[in-house]
Amino acid sequence: MTDLLDDPAPGANTPEFTVSEVSGAVKRTLEGEFGRIRVRGEVGRVFRARSGHLYYDIKDDRNVLACTTWKGQISQLSVEPEEGLEVVVTGRLTAFGAQSKYNLNVEEVTVAGQGALMALLEKRKKQLAAEGLFDATRKRPLPFLPEIIGVVTSPSGAVIRDILHRLRDRFPRKVLIWPVAVQGANCAPEVARAIAGFNALTPGGALPRPDLIIVARGGGSVEDLWGFNEEIVARAAAASEIPLISAVGHETDTTLIDFVSDRRAPTPTAAAELAVPVRLDLLAWVEAQGARLTRAAGNATAQRRQRLADLARALPRPEGLLDTPRQRLDRAADRLPRALIGGLQTRRLHLSETTASLRPATLQQRLAARQDRLDGWARQLHPALLRLVARRREALAATRLRAQPLTMALATGRQDLDRLSKRLDAATTARLERLDTRLASSARMLETLSYQATLDRGYAVVRAGDALVTSRDTAAGAPQLDIQFADGHVTAVPTDPAPRKPKKTVPKPPDQGSLF
């Protein structure tokens, strides 16, 4: 701090500092003394600001150290700090003079020991299980024979070669590879984006959507496989609409993606075996089923042929079935002529009896009886009609008497209607005259305020396209100008303006420095 000390003020033995000088000296001392350091402790309060910066505390049993990770540094962290996690953070110690606080700008976060990793893994597993992401009811069945298989893995490792080799041996299928980092800080976000990307493809499009996804990686330590224990990877696998097989690590390795995936394979090779059946086994099974079908069809045909022969032996001869109907036909043919003659004679007798009853005298008697009956009905109907006509006349007279007041009311109403019509015409005429007066006044005011009157006094309006030009620089930058005068428009092309005179700069007085 000796570089900040100046000569003491007259009459004082202790030098004076400004607040900024003290804060700057403290900051330089902290950064120069500690530089880049590593601190071990338990993560306390964690807060993510709206700006994206991450603020948290590292503490032990006695003290607390405030830590900050800026928005651009978060993606480089291999482990994001969580409350209660024991970590080792690496960064630079600095001070924030505006609040008289010091903190650690953290650039790297690692978990302090495998036990802490396991504790964090168990915490995440309980959280996701409580949300129902591990339920067996939400797991989808794998397609029996997928047309396209999407593989999320590193393109340069032995895993993809093992998967392709196994698929080629069992049942060759189309494979789409989404290259990702399988360890390190970029592993979790790239795997999550790969799963979401496969789901975003259009079925049957130029790049078709896979029917099955395999997320694969070879074996490794807990730290190497930690990217598949991240929450974003587990949630991406749970949200996948495409059935997903996880094949991360060896048979003894377990990650969070294994619990949320639809099927877990102990190795990447086993994942390929779960994805497709063996083609030769399918061909042999189809041939066996074909042979069984042929034998079953032959046996069924033979059994039905034997059954038909047995039933045919139990049937009578066709000639025997027709003997009885033939005898009935012969007897009916013998009786038919006699029946026709008897029927004809019976109808002839009935016709003769009917003709005898239709003599002229009998017909006249029937007509006279009918005429007498009609005359009687007419005599009864005439008085009734007279009475009905009389009642109708009386009702009509009463109706005319009741209609007289109605006629008087209609006349009065017609007079009122004429009076109201005259008042309405007068009011309408007066309103139209007032509106005409207001319209004429508004037109005069518009003509007074219009810029057209200004153009008549010798001014002009300059436009560049649809924009109004109000400055010399805007006019110089336009390719063509439209100038409106009072009597029409003129098109002009601007030329380079004359250079402006530079402004005179007034030299600043020399800095006399500080007495302190």
Side-chain angles (χ1 to χ4, degrees), residues 233-481:
V233 175
R235 293 191 181 278
S240 174
E241 298 179 358
I242 305 174
L244 187 142
I245 299 176
S246 65
V248 179
H250 296 305
E251 187 170 0
T252 57
D253 298 326
T254 303
T255 56
L256 279 182
I257 193 175
D258 296 334
F259 295 96
V260 298
S261 61
D262 297 302
R263 290 288 296 275
R264 177 188 180 270
T267 61
T269 303
E273 295 175 355
L274 291 174
V276 295
V278 180
R279 184 172 181 270
L280 296 179
D281 292 345
L282 288 179
L283 291 176
W285 180 83
V286 170
E287 292 178 357
Q289 296 299 318
R292 290 182 58 188
L293 181 61
T294 302
R295 289 195 301 271
N299 294 336
T301 303
Q303 291 176 1
R304 283 165 175 75
R305 186 181 293 111
Q306 182 63 36
R307 178 63 175 167
L308 182 60
D310 296 341
L311 294 175
R313 286 194 297 269
L315 291 175
R317 294 180 299 105
E319 294 79 4
L321 295 175
L322 296 177
D323 287 343
T324 302
R326 189 181 292 115
Q327 292 176 2
R328 289 200 302 268
L329 179 61
D330 293 340
R331 289 195 297 270
D334 293 340
R335 293 195 303 270
L336 181 60
R338 295 192 299 272
L340 290 175
I341 294 172
L344 182 59
Q345 292 176 353
T346 302
R347 285 169 175 76
R348 184 178 295 164
L349 179 61
H350 181 67
L351 180 61
S352 299
E353 294 175 354
T354 305
T355 304
S357 63
L358 295 177
R359 294 176 182 177
T362 307
L363 290 176
Q364 291 178 358
Q365 293 175 359
R366 291 184 178 179
L367 288 176
R370 297 293 173 86
Q371 186 65 37
D372 294 340
R373 188 180 302 172
L374 289 176
D375 293 340
W377 287 348
R379 287 191 298 270
Q380 296 176 7
L381 183 61
H382 185 68
L385 288 175
L386 293 177
R387 290 193 299 271
L388 180 61
V389 170
R391 285 197 299 269
R392 290 286 189 268
R393 287 178 179 175
E394 293 175 357
L396 181 60
T399 302
R400 288 178 179 175
L401 291 177
R402 289 195 301 268
Q404 290 179 358
L406 180 61
T407 305
M408 297 175 62
L410 289 175
T412 305
R414 188 178 293 109
Q415 294 175 0
D416 294 342
L417 180 60
D418 293 339
R419 186 172 61 258
L420 292 176
S421 297
K422 292 178 181 179
R423 292 178 60 188
L424 179 60
D425 293 340
T428 303
T429 302
R431 179 172 177 80
L432 290 177
E433 291 176 354
R434 289 196 301 272
L435 292 177
D436 289 340
T437 303
R438 290 178 59 187
L439 180 59
S441 176
S442 299
R444 289 192 298 272
M445 183 177 295
L446 178 62
E447 184 177 357
T448 303
L449 299 177
S450 174
Y451 72 94
Q452 190 68 35
T454 306
L455 296 180
D456 293 337
R457 295 198 298 270
Y459 291 92
V461 178
V462 182
R463 295 184 178 88
D466 295 335
L468 190 66
V469 177
T470 59
S471 65
R472 177 173 174 268
D473 294 337
T474 304
Q480 189 174 0
L481 300 176

Side-chain angles (χ1 to χ4, degrees), residues 47-55 68-74:
F47 171 71
R48 185 185 294 269
R50 291 185 178 180
S51 59
H53 306 318
L54 193 63
Y55 300 94
T68 304
T69 300
W70 307 121
K71 180 180 179 181
Q73 298 173 324
I74 294 178

Side-chain angles (χ1 to χ4, degrees), residues 23-307:
S23 299
V26 171
K27 182 176 181 179
R28 287 192 298 271
T29 301
L30 284 175
E31 293 177 353
E33 180 69 22
F34 291 94
R36 184 180 175 88
I37 61 174
R38 300 176 73 238
V39 181
R40 179 169 181 164
E42 180 183 345
V43 179
R45 176 190 58 88
V46 180
F47 171 71
R48 185 185 294 269
R50 291 185 178 180
S51 59
H53 306 318
L54 193 63
Y55 300 94
Y56 50 97
D57 296 333
I58 301 297
K59 61 182 180 179
D60 55 15
D61 56 346
R62 288 180 296 177
N63 297 296
V64 177
L65 174 62
C67 298
T68 304
T69 300
W70 307 121
K71 180 180 179 181
Q73 298 173 324
I74 294 178
S75 61
Q76 302 175 3
L77 299 180
S78 58
V79 176
E80 189 168 328
E82 297 182 11
E83 187 173 353
L85 182 65
E86 187 176 0
V87 296
V88 176
V89 296
T90 304
R92 299 182 181 276
L93 195 65
T94 184
F96 184 48
Q99 296 182 356
S100 298
K101 293 182 179 180
Y102 69 94
N103 63 359
L104 182 66
N105 176 225
V106 178
E107 301 172 355
E108 177 60 32
V109 178
T110 58
V111 180
Q114 187 172 356
L117 283 176
M118 292 297 100
L120 178 60
L121 178 60
E122 289 299 323
K123 178 182 177 182
R124 289 179 179 173
K125 187 186 299 184
K126 291 180 180 178
Q127 178 185 354
L128 297 179
E131 296 180 13
L133 299 186
F134 298 167
D135 294 345
T137 55
R138 56 168 301 277
K139 296 182 183 296
R140 295 171 295 274
L142 303 182
F144 178 72
L145 187 59
E147 291 291 333
I148 301 173
I149 299 175
V151 180
V152 179
T153 188
S154 173
S156 59
V159 171
I160 186 61
R161 293 195 297 270
D162 294 341
I163 292 176
L164 295 177
H165 177 71
R166 181 58 66 182
L167 291 176
R168 186 167 53 250
D169 290 344
R170 291 175 66 86
F171 206 120
R173 297 280 87 185
K174 295 180 180 179
V175 177
L176 291 179
I177 302 174
W178 195 301
V180 296
V182 293
Q183 70 181 45
N186 297 328
C187 174
E190 290 185 5
V191 172
R193 286 195 297 267
I195 297 175
F198 274 138
N199 281 269
L201 295 178
T202 303
L207 187 61
R209 179 181 178 180
D211 303 316
L212 179 68
I213 297 178
I214 298 177
V215 180
R217 188 209 186 279
S221 63
V222 176
E223 291 80 4
D224 294 338
L225 302 179
W226 190 252
F228 297 92
N229 288 322
E230 294 292 346
E231 186 175 350
I232 58 172
V233 175
R235 293 191 181 278
S240 174
E241 298 179 358
I242 305 174
L244 187 142
I245 299 176
S246 65
V248 179
H250 296 305
E251 187 170 0
T252 57
D253 298 326
T254 303
T255 56
L256 279 182
I257 193 175
D258 296 334
F259 295 96
V260 298
S261 61
D262 297 302
R263 290 288 296 275
R264 177 188 180 270
T267 61
T269 303
E273 295 175 355
L274 291 174
V276 295
V278 180
R279 184 172 181 270
L280 296 179
D281 292 345
L282 288 179
L283 291 176
W285 180 83
V286 170
E287 292 178 357
Q289 296 299 318
R292 290 182 58 188
L293 181 61
T294 302
R295 289 195 301 271
N299 294 336
T301 303
Q303 291 176 1
R304 283 165 175 75
R305 186 181 293 111
Q306 182 63 36
R307 178 63 175 167

